[in-house]
Amino acid sequence: MEITVMSNILEKNEEVAAEINAMLSRQGIFTVNLLGSPGCGKTSLVEQTVSLLKSELNIAIIEGDLYTSKDADRIAAYGAPVVQINTQGGCHLDAAMVKSALDQLDLNEIDILIVENVGNLVCPAEFAVGEHAKVVVLSVTEGEDKPLKYPLVFRQSAAVILNKIDLLPYTDFAIDCAVRDITGLNQQAVLMKVSCRTGAGLTDWLEWLKKQVQLTRKRKCD
C-alpha cells in the first residue's frame, strides 16, 4: 500500500514537472535544480553566480528552505529576483511548489532560473521540479564517501560541483577517490572543482551555464 501511494505521488509530481519544463523551454529559460547537503555551499554558489553573470544574463532564484528567508535575503542583496518557499519541515521541494512560485516571477525577463532545493542528498533527487538539469554540490568538508552513500543524486546530475577546494589541505578528503566514484556512477556528469570563497574554478561553472543557456535558446527556436 505504501509503495502504491508513493508511486502515485511521484507520478503526479512528474506530470506537473513536465508542464513546468515545457513552459520554461518555450520561454528559453535554462533551469537548474541545485542540490546538496546543508552547508555544502549552494547559496554561496548562487551568490557568486548572480554577482559574476548579472551583467550578461538575467538570473532568478527560487529558494527552498524549511524555515526562514535567510538565504533568500542573502541572494536578494545581489539584485536578483528571489521567491522564497518554506516547506515547514518538508525535506524537499516539489513541482507544485515551484509552479506556484513561478507566478511571482516575470518569465519574460529571465535567462536562467536556479531552484535552490532544500539541503538534503536523498529526497530532492526523487522529485523533479521542471528543471533542465540537476546540479549537485559536494563540499570537501563532507567526506569523499558521499557519492556512494547517496548514489541517486549523483547519477541524475548533469554537473557535480566539488566545492571548498581551498580547504583541501586542512581535510583528509580523498579527492581522487571522490572523482573516481562520481565518474563510476555517472560518466556523463561534468565535474568542476571550485571555491566560492576564493573564486577558484568558478569560470568553468559560469561557462557551463552560458553554454546551457545557448542550447536552451537553440531548442526553443528549432
Side-chain angles (χ1 to χ4, degrees):
M1 189 65 177
E2 291 179 359
I3 293 174
T4 301
V5 170
M6 186 59 181
S7 176
N8 290 341
I9 291 172
L10 289 172
E11 183 177 347
K12 178 59 179 177
N13 187 79
E14 288 293 332
E15 290 175 4
V16 179
E19 293 174 11
I20 295 170
N21 182 272
M23 177 179 62
L24 295 172
S25 295
R26 287 194 299 270
Q27 293 284 139
I29 301 170
F30 176 61
T31 303
V32 174
N33 186 1
L34 189 62
L35 310 170
S37 300
C40 69
K42 296 189 301 300
T43 305
S44 294
L45 183 67
V46 173
E47 287 177 314
Q48 290 286 359
T49 302
V50 172
S51 176
L52 296 170
L53 277 186
K54 64 182 178 182
S55 63
E56 300 178 53
L57 295 166
N58 296 319
I59 305 172
I61 316 298
I62 294 176
E63 179 63 43
D65 274 309
L66 277 71
Y67 303 100
T68 83
S69 62
K70 289 182 179 294
D71 289 348
D73 294 341
R74 282 172 54 183
I75 295 163
Y78 287 83
V82 186
V83 179
Q84 177 72 59
I85 300 176
N86 287 129
T87 63
Q88 304 297 320
C91 61
H92 62 86
L93 297 180
D94 62 31
M97 296 175 188
V98 170
K99 185 176 182 180
S100 178
L102 287 172
D103 292 339
Q104 302 178 54
L105 295 170
D106 183 354
L107 300 184
N108 294 314
E109 299 296 327
I110 301 172
D111 300 304
I112 301 174
L113 174 65
I114 299 176
V115 180
E116 184 180 346
N117 220 306
V118 177
N120 189 332
L121 285 174
V122 183
C123 303
E126 297 192 55
F127 286 81
V129 295
E131 71 270 12
H132 293 101
K134 288 182 173 69
V135 175
V136 61
V137 180
L138 173 65
S139 163
V140 303
T141 56
E142 295 176 71
E144 73 280 351
D145 58 344
K146 297 304 179 290
L148 294 186
K149 283 187 171 183
Y150 306 98
L152 182 61
V153 67
F154 289 91
R155 286 195 183 110
Q156 291 188 346
S157 292
V160 178
I161 307 291
L162 286 178
N163 191 26
K164 304 185 184 181
I165 58 168
D166 54 304
L167 298 179
L168 269 176
Y170 312 104
T171 72
D172 57 1
F173 185 87
I175 194 165
D176 291 342
C177 292
V179 170
R180 179 198 64 205
D181 292 342
I182 292 165
T183 303
L185 291 166
N186 184 352
Q187 294 183 355
Q188 305 305 314
V190 176
L191 196 110
M192 290 169 270
K193 303 171 186 176
V194 313
S195 167
C196 292
R197 189 178 69 85
T198 69
L202 285 174
T203 298
D204 292 339
W205 163 243
L206 300 178
E207 290 302 317
W208 183 83
L209 276 177
K210 288 190 282 187
K211 180 180 179 180
Q212 303 312 307
V213 170
Q214 292 172 355
L215 290 172
T216 304
R217 289 173 175 171
K218 184 177 184 299
R219 286 192 291 267
K220 172 189 174 184
C221 296
D222 288 346

